[in-house]
Amino acid sequence: AEFKSVAKFQPVQRDIAVVVGDQVTHAALMQTVWDAPTGGLLRDAQLFDVYRPKLGKDTPVAEGAADRSLAVRLTLNSDEATLSEEQIDSAVNAIVEQLTARVGARQRV
């Protein structure tokens, strides 16, 4: 059996929620997350929630009809040191910016 060394530092998890168009595939979304310039801090990313907003009768059909809201759990870690809040925020922002630029995502607050 192959043993992986246990991480010296505590991994940090952050959840991000973004709204994307229906044409954005799971594969495209995850590839975009992994392509973000996190300086190697991103260790894992899991899509854990998909939500399609219910449209009210007054909502124009064209507006957001095919959008869905996705929540992704990011696991960040470093081999060098415990991550600072600044490093964490920076990595998360890089991922959100990459998603915005590449798949037209917008962050859900």
Side-chain angles (χ1 to χ4, degrees):
E2 201 179 305
F3 292 98
K4 272 193 182 151
S5 65
V6 176
K8 283 202 287 270
F9 303 101
Q10 198 60 38
V12 174
Q13 290 193 323
R14 285 289 183 277
D15 295 344
I16 57 171
V18 293
V19 177
V20 297
D22 221 22
Q23 76 286 357
V24 177
T25 64
H26 174 255
L29 180 89
M30 299 317 284
Q31 188 59 58
T32 302
V33 167
W34 282 106
D35 286 349
T38 63
L41 298 182
L42 183 65
R43 299 300 164 89
D44 193 28
Q46 299 285 330
L47 179 66
F48 70 91
D49 189 38
V50 178
Y51 167 76
R52 288 176 193 280
K54 297 248 187 305
L55 298 176
K57 62 178 177 15
D58 301 326
T59 310
V61 170
E63 192 184 305
D67 289 356
R68 61 199 200 286
S69 179
L70 307 174
V72 180
R73 178 156 295 143
L74 308 171
T75 302
L76 306 168
N77 207 348
S78 166
D79 297 330
E80 276 83 65
T82 301
L83 293 176
S84 68
E85 244 356 274
E86 203 175 326
Q87 285 174 299
I88 295 164
D89 290 346
S90 172
V92 171
N93 289 339
I95 291 167
V96 171
E97 282 167 22
Q98 185 88 340
L99 285 167
T100 303
R102 198 183 288 177
V103 296
R106 36 186 215 284
Q107 196 162 14
R108 193 181 87 215
V109 279

